[in-house]
Amino acid sequence: MALTEARLRAARPADKLVKLSDAHGLQFWLYPSGARSWRLAYMFGGKQRSMTLGPYPEMSLRAARIAAEDARRAVRGGIDPGPRKNAPAVSARPAATTFGEIREMWLAKEARMERCASTVTRNARLAQIAGELDARPIAEIRASEIFTLLQRLEADGKFETGKRVRAMISHVFRFAIALDHTAADPASHLKGMIATPPARARAAVTDRKGFAALMRAISAYEARSCARDALMLLALTAARPGELRLAEWSGEFDLEEGVWTIPAARAKMRRAHRVPLSKQALAILGRMQEQSRALETRFVCPSPRPGRPLSENAFNCALRSMGVEADVATAHGFRSSFSTIANDSGLWRPETIEMALAHVDSVRARYLSAWRLVF
């Protein structure tokens, strides 16, 4: 039976060690002396092993479960989260103890866990923002130090960056807990401390006539044929800009069957997504394939710089250069255009539209601007 905080508080010491099990190897140990701690039993290298996660109540039940899950992730990644054997009794931890060193270990672990390239890059960028913590021993960092960093980001209006930095720091601390470098995650106490500005949807044209006019403007755009074709494909497939920008010919496109399979490693929802291709989309892809062959590149949307895809801003820059203002339409806003126009047409079931968008139900409202359907 899973443990509860009430049961833990009610537990009393006995003449011998009391062990209370939670789930997946997590145990609460109550010593005759009254000391309480969290332990995790796990398998590594075919052998049963165990490690201390931290003391109770300094480490809550929720924090212990998080630390246990992080340790199990380390095991799945081929890392033994427990202390090294034969280490001196005064220090059962590996040599790396600063925030910067632990952060680099966490980044390496994330890269091994098949995170998409954009996620790995974003994590590295967020780590640079928190660089002032790098030289500090991770076990000595307090919530107030992290909060000072977050307050500066908030003062600069970087609300979303502040939230992501806090989450990244928390991940590093949870990884450190799993490796027995520290007993608590001070960043977890700062959740919700960054101000949240009113949510703004990405600009999108959601009426049929307006969207038709936008498509005609894109079709007439000649300055960058690759960007033009890519924008047309976004409209025809409702794909995310990053999914198309980083697309490669090999292993993704079956032009004979008319299917584009976005691999799980690059899809936002972490699962492969099959996109049916219309005749118009196939004609565009045929032109783009000829361009890629001429440039000898593997990318569907190649950059003028050899060996690279188009930049993150290429699609929106193309829209701006053809006179479409940022508050009128964005490349990602094409998905809202698709969702709203398709739902308003009444021609398809909502589930079909969500499948085309590779959505889960919880994100439906973000894209359906009109929200006039009756469920």
Side-chain angles (χ1 to χ4, degrees):
M1 181 175 65
L3 295 175
T4 64
E5 284 288 353
R7 188 181 175 194
L8 296 176
R9 289 193 296 268
R12 295 292 180 265
D15 294 336
K16 59 181 181 179
L17 176 65
V18 175
K19 299 181 182 180
L20 302 178
S21 296
D22 184 57
H24 307 296
L26 179 61
Q27 295 180 332
F28 175 79
W29 284 18
L30 176 55
Y31 296 87
S33 65
R36 306 163 186 233
S37 69
W38 293 104
R39 300 276 300 183
L40 178 68
Y42 62 98
M43 295 292 295
F44 189 84
K47 296 181 180 180
Q48 179 74 35
R49 302 192 181 186
S50 66
M51 62 180 290
T52 299
L53 298 179
Y56 180 87
E58 288 85 351
M59 177 181 281
S60 66
L61 173 58
R62 181 175 180 274
R65 285 172 174 165
I66 291 172
E69 177 56 28
D70 284 342
R72 289 190 288 269
R73 284 200 190 100
V75 171
R76 291 194 293 270
I79 300 173
D80 184 356
R84 295 176 299 178
K85 288 186 176 181
N86 304 320
V90 295
S91 177
R93 300 171 182 169
T97 57
T98 67
F99 178 86
E101 291 168 323
I102 301 299
R103 183 205 65 212
E104 289 304 310
M105 295 168 62
W106 174 73
L107 288 173
K109 184 264 297 183
E110 289 289 289
R112 289 195 299 273
M113 293 179 69
E114 299 184 354
R115 305 294 189 201
C116 66
S118 60
T119 298
V120 174
T121 301
R122 185 186 67 217
N123 286 336
R125 178 174 57 82
L126 294 174
Q128 291 180 345
I129 296 174
E132 65 189 63
L133 300 175
D134 282 357
R136 297 276 288 119
I138 195 164
E140 297 179 10
I141 296 175
R142 298 293 176 260
S144 58
E145 297 177 63
I146 303 170
F147 190 46
T148 299
L149 167 63
L150 300 181
Q151 283 182 309
R152 287 203 301 272
L153 293 171
E154 184 182 57
D156 291 338
K158 299 177 180 178
F159 304 107
E160 190 62 31
T161 298
K163 291 179 182 179
R164 291 184 176 183
V165 168
R166 188 213 64 80
M168 182 276 298
I169 293 173
S170 185
H171 281 303
V172 174
F173 269 96
R174 287 161 57 183
F175 187 64
I177 291 170
L179 297 178
D180 205 23
H181 288 287
T182 189
D185 169 19
S188 65
H189 302 297
L190 302 176
K191 190 172 183 178
M193 299 297 287
I194 296 295
T196 302
R200 293 187 302 171
R202 292 181 175 91
V205 178
T206 56
D207 65 282
R208 295 184 62 167
K209 290 185 178 180
F211 194 71
L214 176 60
M215 291 299 98
R216 287 193 293 271
I218 294 173
S219 181
Y221 181 63
E222 294 292 345
R224 292 281 299 279
S225 60
C226 181
R228 176 199 65 210
D229 288 342
L231 287 170
M232 295 296 291
L233 271 180
L234 288 178
L236 292 168
T237 61
R240 295 177 175 88
E243 293 169 343
L244 178 58
R245 185 178 70 85
L246 298 175
E248 300 183 17
W249 293 108
S250 178
E252 293 189 34
F253 290 88
D254 187 336
L255 300 185
E256 291 186 3
E257 293 295 327
V259 176
W260 171 25
T261 302
I262 301 172
R266 205 172 66 250
K268 183 177 180 180
M269 298 302 175
R270 319 311 304 156
R271 60 190 179 198
H273 176 53
R274 288 168 58 85
V275 180
L277 300 171
S278 64
K279 292 180 181 179
Q280 296 91 330
L282 288 170
I284 293 171
L285 284 166
R287 292 198 302 269
M288 298 179 79
Q289 192 171 50
E290 290 180 4
Q291 288 182 329
S292 295
R293 286 172 178 165
L295 295 172
E296 298 182 346
T297 178
R298 68 183 190 276
F299 292 110
V300 176
C301 302
S303 166
R305 303 175 67 179
R308 298 187 181 187
L310 287 176
S311 70
E312 290 186 28
N313 297 321
F315 299 154
N316 285 331
C317 285
L319 287 172
R320 302 294 89 79
S321 67
M322 64 180 71
V324 180
E325 298 296 333
D327 59 350
V328 174
T330 61
H332 199 286
F334 284 12
R335 289 168 59 78
S336 292
S337 301
F338 170 83
S339 177
T340 304
I341 295 172
N343 276 289
D344 282 351
S345 73
L347 298 175
W348 296 278
R349 293 174 60 87
E351 306 94 290
T352 304
I353 297 170
E354 296 309 291
M355 185 179 294
L357 289 164
H359 271 174
V360 293
D361 291 342
S362 61
V363 295
R364 176 177 171 79
R366 299 181 196 172
Y367 291 85
L368 181 51
S369 300
W371 193 250
R372 291 188 288 269
L373 295 176
V374 178
F375 293 92

